[in-house]
Amino acid sequence: MSTSTAAPVRKTKRDWGSLFSTVGIGLIVIYCLAPFYWMLVSSLRPDSEIFENSWWPRHASFENYKAVFSEKNDFANGLINSLVVSIVVTIVALAVATFTAYALARLDFRGKGLLMLLIIATSMFPLVAIIVPLLKNFAAWGWTDTYQAMIVPDLSFSLPLAVWNLTSFFRQMPQELEQSAMVDGCTPGQAFRKVILPLAAPGIFTTAIIIFIGAWNEFLVAVTMIINPSMQPATVLLSKFTGDSQFNTPFGSQMAAGVIMTLPLVIMVLLFQRRIVAGLAAGGLKQ
């Protein structure tokens, strides 16, 4: 009698727990997507309706998107510059961080913990505190208005984060994997390339997307180092959009440009979502 009564009670608790979880996840999704939805709706509003609060524009149009790619804004060239910088930063940071993280995960030496602490501490250093010395050095080297003026500072902040993430990922992978491969005749380099790297792909993909998003959204370095409009990335050009007059702010065009800049990140995350989830889950495991 008591067993039959307890079963419905447990089922009811599970149902309520599932309901609360679903509602909580729904609220989080709405909270995260609401700004993007409002940006999308605002980008479709004509200038005469830009300050309306309706859920959808009364006269939706793509005029703002046409204005984004007008010759005076040169936004297409800015997107290319952002893409070049982001891809180079991602590739270089991953190449260096992968080998560094693997060495830190497999080698034991004195001061290893302190070294890891210093690595993560460098990524927390405020960029605004060093931007003036960087500008002075880059101007002396003739690096202003060049890609390396954006790439090198981005690398200095993305590399520590990449090393930290990948080190924790490699650390939870058993060393027996390389030992078994070497027993089968592989060299240490072949074991790393043929065994470890394929298994580490989820963590590497996750780190790559984090690095790419950081480089894609970077603004302070670019606006300080790059004066030539033809070399400025999309984030800087977006901040310089002008309206029909000096006192007119083109909110619609800015919202459209924001949507255009967000779409590549959304598409990339959707394409690699399985690897991202696998990488995040694997990185949370303990050896």
Side-chain angles (χ1 to χ4, degrees), residues 12-191:
T12 303
K13 290 182 178 180
R14 285 198 301 268
D15 291 342
W16 278 106
S18 177
L19 177 62
F20 285 134
S21 298
T22 303
V23 172
I25 293 173
L27 291 175
I28 293 174
V29 171
I30 293 173
Y31 178 80
C32 294
L33 293 182
F36 180 76
Y37 172 77
W38 193 253
M39 183 168 62
L40 176 63
V41 170
S42 299
S43 70
L44 296 174
R45 297 185 193 274
D47 290 340
S48 58
E49 302 177 17
I50 195 64
F51 294 109
E52 293 185 1
N53 293 322
S54 57
W55 290 101
W56 191 255
R58 290 184 290 108
H59 305 94
S61 70
F62 292 94
E63 295 179 0
N64 293 321
Y65 289 90
K66 293 179 182 179
V68 167
F69 292 102
S70 63
E71 293 184 3
K72 70 173 184 177
N73 289 326
D74 199 21
F75 195 69
N77 188 56
L79 289 174
I80 295 174
N81 292 333
S82 294
L83 192 63
V84 170
V85 172
S86 301
I87 290 176
V88 172
V89 169
T90 302
I91 292 175
V92 175
L94 276 185
V96 175
T98 300
F99 292 104
T100 305
Y102 182 72
L104 289 172
R106 289 293 186 258
L107 299 178
D108 290 324
F109 53 89
R110 183 175 297 177
K112 179 178 175 180
L114 178 60
L115 178 61
M116 291 295 297
L117 194 61
L118 290 175
I119 287 175
I120 196 62
T122 57
S123 66
M124 299 179 181
F125 201 81
L127 178 59
V128 69
I130 61 173
I131 195 69
V132 174
L134 278 177
L135 177 59
K136 183 178 179 180
N137 287 332
F138 287 175
W141 300 342
W143 277 20
T144 54
D145 289 333
T146 61
Y147 282 129
Q148 59 263 32
M150 295 180 281
I151 292 172
V152 172
D154 286 353
L155 280 174
S156 66
F157 286 92
S158 59
L159 260 176
L161 181 61
V163 171
W164 182 271
N165 286 342
L166 291 177
T167 300
S168 62
F169 189 85
F170 283 127
R171 190 176 292 158
Q172 59 89 25
M173 299 178 67
Q175 296 189 21
E176 287 78 7
L177 293 172
E178 299 101 305
Q179 295 171 358
S180 299
M182 287 186 281
V183 168
D184 292 335
C186 289
T187 64
Q190 290 174 334

